[in-house]
Amino acid sequence: NAGVTQTPKFRVLKTGQSMTLLCAQDMNHEYMYWYRQDPGMGLRLIHYSVGEGTTAKGEVPDGYNVSRLKKQNFLLGLESAAPSQTSVYFCASSFSNEQFFGPGTRLTVL
Amino acid sequence: AQSVTQLDSQVPVFEEAPVELRCNYSSSVSVYLFWYVQYPNQGLQLLLKYLSGSTLVKGINGFEAEFNKSQTSFHLRKPSVHISDTAEYFCAVSASNNDMRFGAGTRLTVKP
């Protein structure tokens, strides 16, 4: 099992550019999440999904969109990147109240 | 909603010394509690969790934590640390699958 994988690992964007982060899990979990991690702030939930075709807003959803077209994939989109979105992004899936994390994507917006 | 406070942002300690990383939480409902470890440039890895039952929870790498409902705490302990324990540690609380809240993290540095 690969667990939770994230693509890409690193990305540099210019302000105003768009991009999509891909998260994939092979554990057949219903729940999936996107977090951002910033120094001194821990992880904050951006959006989450409770199953294929469903999404919901988390704590810091502004500037992001998500889609869950297939159960194993959860996509995070930035339509018009801003320097404030420079962060490390983590995807997770969960089963029985335990979350399993991917290795992260380091995004820099110039 | 629930919240988590990690009382120390940095904890330096010498190798083979004991360590305690402190975590307090607040919630109006019953919660599940977790400790995660993050090594440099990696994702989060579960150390241990409290879902129910015994308040003393043992995890990987010799860590343990005690759930104290009256003090709303879930402190992480290890009797003797190694250089390899140097990492960032996150306490987290969850009342449901949809809402896990993380503390700001404690950076543990183990010195030789």
Side-chain angles (χ1 to χ4, degrees), chain A residues 79-93:
Chain A
E79 289 187 349
S80 179
S84 61
Q85 293 177 304
T86 293
S87 188
V88 181
Y89 292 85
F90 287 99
C91 176
S93 66

Side-chain angles (χ1 to χ4, degrees), chain B residues 16-82:
Chain B
E16 297 184 7
V19 70
E20 178 180 80
L21 307 184
R22 298 180 294 166
C23 173
N24 286 353
Y25 70 92
S26 68
S27 177
S28 58
V29 299
S30 295
V31 295
Y32 307 115
L33 294 156
F34 306 82
W35 276 99
Y36 285 88
V37 60
Q38 184 181 33
Y39 299 104
N41 299 313
Q42 294 187 26
L44 276 70
Q45 177 184 358
L46 182 69
L47 268 180
L48 48 79
K49 60 184 176 183
Y50 172 79
L51 301 181
S52 65
S54 173
T55 57
L56 183 62
V57 180
K58 293 190 183 297
I60 62 171
N61 300 341
F63 284 93
E64 64 180 33
E66 186 157 18
F67 170 54
N68 188 319
K69 190 174 182 179
S70 63
Q71 296 188 4
T72 61
S73 68
F74 191 54
H75 299 334
L76 180 71
R77 301 184 181 100
K78 186 170 182 178
S80 176
V81 294
H82 303 292

Side-chain angles (χ1 to χ4, degrees), chain A:
Chain A
N1 282 354
V4 179
T5 57
Q6 293 183 232
T7 308
K9 289 185 169 52
F10 303 93
R11 186 72 186 267
V12 178
L13 291 178
K14 294 181 180 178
T15 297
Q17 288 184 318
S18 64
M19 77 162 294
T20 300
L21 307 183
L22 170 64
C23 175
Q25 54 99 0
D26 61 2
M27 296 174 282
N28 202 35
H29 291 166
E30 292 290 342
Y31 293 82
M32 296 187 74
Y33 313 82
W34 275 106
Y35 293 92
R36 60 177 290 171
Q37 182 181 27
D38 302 293
M41 302 187 74
L43 276 73
R44 292 179 292 166
L45 182 64
I46 304 171
H47 286 280
Y48 65 94
S49 168
V50 301
E52 181 178 316
T54 73
T55 64
K57 294 180 180 180
E59 188 183 352
V60 288
D62 293 342
Y64 305 95
N65 56 75
V66 288
S67 64
R68 183 102 180 264
L69 299 179
K70 294 182 179 181
K71 186 177 183 179
Q72 63 267 33
N73 295 336
F74 194 29
L75 278 63
L76 177 71
L78 287 73
E79 289 187 349
S80 179
S84 61
Q85 293 177 304
T86 293
S87 188
V88 181
Y89 292 85
F90 287 99
C91 176
S93 66
S94 78
F95 175 75
S96 189
N97 284 293
E98 180 177 342
Q99 296 198 10
F100 300 82
F101 286 84
T105 295
R106 187 173 295 274
L107 175 65
T108 301
V109 182
L110 302 176

